[in-house]
Amino acid sequence: MRTFYIALSVAGFLFPVFCFSLHFSQRGETAWSEFFVAPFATWVISGFTWDLLITATAATVWMKSESDRLKMTGFGWHVLAIFAVGICFAFPTFLFRRESYLIRQEGNPH
């Protein structure tokens, strides 16, 4: 599973950063204002935006609870990753770290 999680992390980083980079390189002075307006430009896009916001909130609460339960360190980096890139990067990265942590706790290298 760790290989799957790290692959999702890489894709979850590269695709959004690529799209955001294109947006900011092509929009000039209006880039930031459009960045915050575009997610609510139509009802369909608004639905996807709300879906992601609610999913990100639920995932953040679960990640915090799970990191506290397992006494994992570094939770703040995942919150930063959500705001800097998105939940598509932060969540699989957390799952990768969690899986690695559980394997170390069990003393099982696989």
Side-chain angles (χ1 to χ4, degrees):
M1 289 303 292
R2 289 186 305 164
T3 303
F4 179 67
Y5 293 146
I6 201 68
L8 286 176
S9 294
V10 170
F13 178 82
L14 292 177
F15 289 115
V17 168
F18 175 73
C19 292
F20 296 153
S21 297
L22 287 176
H23 170 80
F24 285 105
S25 69
Q26 296 174 356
R27 295 297 194 204
E29 293 179 13
T30 62
W32 278 107
S33 61
E34 289 178 6
F35 185 78
F36 292 106
V37 172
F40 298 97
T42 68
W43 288 113
V44 173
I45 297 302
S46 292
F48 284 118
T49 300
W50 280 111
D51 180 63
L52 281 174
L53 289 171
I54 293 166
T55 301
T57 301
T60 303
V61 169
W62 180 81
M63 290 187 302
K64 175 62 174 152
S65 172
E66 190 69 357
S67 65
D68 288 348
R69 182 181 75 82
L70 297 174
K71 296 177 178 47
M72 291 174 60
T73 60
F75 172 74
W77 289 107
H78 298 287
V79 174
L80 180 64
I82 289 170
F83 286 104
V85 179
I87 193 68
C88 61
F89 171 61
F91 190 55
T93 302
F94 177 83
L95 292 173
F96 173 81
R97 287 190 62 237
R98 178 181 175 270
E99 190 80 13
S100 299
Y101 179 83
L102 291 173
I103 288 170
R104 280 195 308 275
Q105 292 300 98
E106 295 170 357
N108 181 359
H110 298 92

